[in-house]
Amino acid sequence: MIFTLPNLPYNYDDLEPFFDKETMKIHHTKHHQTYINNTNEAIKKLNKFKNISIEELIIKLDELPPKTRTFIKNNAGGHLNHSLFWKFIKKNVKINDEIKKQIEKNFNSFENFQKLFEKIAMNHFGSGWVWLIKKNNTLSIISTKNQNNPLMGKKHSEYSGYPILGLDLWEHAYYLKYKNNKKNYIKSFWNIINWNEVNLRFNLKN
Ligand code: MN
């Protein structure tokens, strides 16, 4: 099995004016595609990893040959993170009561949650991701470097947990439209969160 670029459930310009058409197109067809190509090339000769899903691959990093482990971690991480990211965004999705209550329970208020999410995203230096994760029935906000994902576990990522929402903090995700204004990019995210997906993932794991 080789990994392939997932189709987006919307058009490149559907998230305007928050995420612009050109960025969406390059992000999907160039950046994401490159992570996929690199992963496919690297696992081509590793029979053991031929028929596994990207989620399985990401939790089996220890079983990879040390020589290619970091390369596969970065690129398979890139494939997984972007596959998740496209599902986390959609226009005109109203937050539903269940996930809203859970957020209020864990962060005191929805406004506090937003403030903390923005703060952690802003304080993340360099490329990476900010995540809302679930672990032992508790929600928390964390950030990871490069293409690390909390599903990789603590040994390979900074945190372990189940991501239920995430935002790409690489400059390629916002530079065309927002230039150096990372804050406005982060704030724009609130307009296009697919809360149905967040709620769905919240209910998948304890
Ligand atoms: Mn990206």
Side-chain angles (χ1 to χ4, degrees):
M1 188 183 100
I2 56 160
F3 297 113
T4 53
L5 188 67
N7 288 323
L8 298 187
Y10 37 73
N11 298 316
Y12 292 124
D13 60 354
D14 279 356
L15 305 165
E16 293 268 9
F18 309 108
F19 285 10
D20 64 291
K21 181 184 178 181
E22 199 188 358
T23 300
M24 284 300 296
K25 191 174 178 186
I26 295 172
H27 204 172
H28 182 240
T29 61
K30 304 292 181 191
H31 291 278
H32 190 174
Q33 183 70 63
T34 301
Y35 295 123
I36 292 169
N37 295 347
N38 287 342
T39 305
N40 286 335
E41 186 60 32
I43 61 166
K44 210 163 60 179
K45 291 185 183 116
L46 305 173
N47 282 328
K48 196 178 163 188
F49 299 94
K50 276 227 167 108
N51 288 306
I52 65 174
S53 70
I54 193 68
E55 291 86 358
E56 285 175 287
L57 178 58
I58 228 74
I59 58 171
K60 288 184 175 169
L61 294 174
D62 279 334
E63 296 173 35
L64 289 162
K67 214 169 65 177
T68 52
R69 192 176 296 152
T70 303
F71 184 80
I72 293 177
K73 171 186 158 175
N74 289 340
N75 286 283
H79 176 32
L80 174 65
N81 291 345
H82 289 84
S83 300
L84 290 171
F85 188 46
W86 308 134
K87 291 186 193 167
F88 290 146
I89 49 182
K90 195 179 177 183
K91 268 259 279 286
N92 301 321
V93 181
K94 215 175 157 264
I95 190 163
N96 55 64
D97 284 345
E98 187 185 18
I99 193 69
K100 191 162 186 262
K101 274 188 193 140
Q102 288 299 328
I103 286 173
E104 287 167 351
K105 195 176 105 186
N106 283 270
F107 302 98
N108 295 320
S109 72
F110 191 77
E111 290 68 33
N112 268 346
F113 158 72
Q114 285 182 302
K115 261 192 214 163
L116 187 62
F117 189 95
E118 288 178 9
K119 188 178 158 194
I120 290 172
M122 280 307 290
N123 288 346
H124 183 90
F125 188 79
S127 296
W129 291 75
V130 56
W131 305 100
L132 175 63
I133 60 168
K134 187 176 181 186
K135 194 178 181 180
N136 304 324
N137 268 312
T138 304
L139 298 179
S140 45
I141 302 165
I142 55 125
S143 71
T144 57
K145 277 190 267 183
N146 303 323
Q147 294 296 353
N148 291 356
N149 185 303
L151 287 175
M152 292 171 180
K154 241 186 167 166
K155 186 177 167 191
H156 296 287
S157 177
E158 297 86 325
Y159 296 93
S160 73
Y162 188 74
I164 67 168
L165 178 66
L167 175 64
D168 194 340
L169 298 176
W170 287 58
E171 280 187 348
H172 70 229
Y174 63 88
Y175 205 83
L176 283 179
K177 180 177 172 73
Y178 293 97
K179 303 294 185 288
N180 62 321
N181 203 331
K182 184 179 169 186
K183 185 90 187 222
N184 282 357
Y185 162 67
I186 295 164
K187 283 190 174 293
S188 77
F189 185 50
W190 301 121
N191 297 290
I192 47 166
I193 295 178
N194 184 358
W195 291 108
N196 297 333
E197 183 69 20
V198 181
N199 202 52
L200 188 127
R201 290 184 70 83
F202 174 82
N203 285 311
L204 282 178
K205 280 279 150 79
N206 286 334

